[in-house]
Amino acid sequence: MKDRWISLYVENQVGVLAKVSGLFSGKNYNLQSLTVGTTEHEDVSRMTICVTSDDVTFEQIKKQLNRMVEVIKVIDITTQPLHMKELLYARINDIGAEEMNQIFHLAEVFKVRVCDAGEDCLILECLLTTESNNELIKLLKKKFKKVQIVRGGAVAMESISISKR
């Protein structure tokens, strides 16, 4: 079992997201990440999907997606060189001045932005890889008592050069 990534080009119509996600839920496949947005063509959307599965199940998923009328193209991007980022917001509550300074230092190290601050709380805006976001979350939870996390799914585009994620 490992994380697999699929990029789908689909018709930008009402109900397409429900049909695609319904395929996953109907077969008991758990989506780790799902993002959707329109492309340069307003009648076409691109979905970036992460699912944890074995090789056989992943092949089944791709075949089932290819059979859907609304799906224009299925691309397995699991092993392709990509540019991939995930949006994450982290709110750290009930902190003092020393802890606030620690968070500003962490923000600098991770190259994330402090986007909001109050007397005893901060919000970080992170646009990192999923792995880097996981590391940041682990560190925040270890150092601070009250941490809230909101994550968007990852978006990815195949690389022009040979650099990877």
Side-chain angles (χ1 to χ4, degrees), residues 4-121:
R4 318 295 175 122
W5 291 90
I6 301 171
S7 180
L8 295 180
Y9 286 94
V10 297
E11 295 173 1
N12 186 9
Q13 297 177 350
V14 173
V16 174
L17 173 59
K19 284 184 180 181
V20 170
S21 62
L23 179 143
F24 284 85
S25 66
K27 301 288 184 180
N28 283 331
Y29 305 144
N30 188 35
L31 294 171
Q32 299 300 324
S33 175
L34 169 65
T35 56
V36 185
T38 56
T39 64
E40 64 278 10
H41 305 287
E42 57 185 63
D43 60 337
V44 176
S45 291
R46 180 171 167 147
M47 295 183 179
T48 304
I49 299 171
C50 178
V51 63
T52 303
S53 72
D54 57 41
D55 292 338
V56 173
T57 303
F58 190 58
E59 288 305 313
Q60 281 182 315
I61 291 169
K62 290 189 296 186
K63 285 177 186 173
Q64 289 167 342
L65 288 168
N66 268 312
R67 282 192 285 248
M68 294 180 73
V69 174
E70 299 85 0
V71 173
I72 299 164
K73 188 174 186 179
V74 177
I75 305 167
D76 178 356
I77 58 174
T78 304
T79 59
Q80 291 187 21
L82 300 171
H83 294 277
M84 181 182 289
K85 298 290 185 211
E86 175 191 57
L87 177 63
L88 175 141
Y89 285 99
R91 180 181 179 137
I92 305 94
N93 295 307
D94 296 337
I95 54 175
E98 186 179 318
E99 292 172 310
M100 204 169 278
N101 285 334
Q102 289 177 3
I103 296 167
F104 273 98
H105 179 70
L106 276 175
E108 193 176 310
V109 169
F110 276 86
K111 295 182 174 64
V112 299
R113 187 172 85 89
V114 175
C115 66
D116 199 1
E119 279 185 33
D120 65 346
C121 61

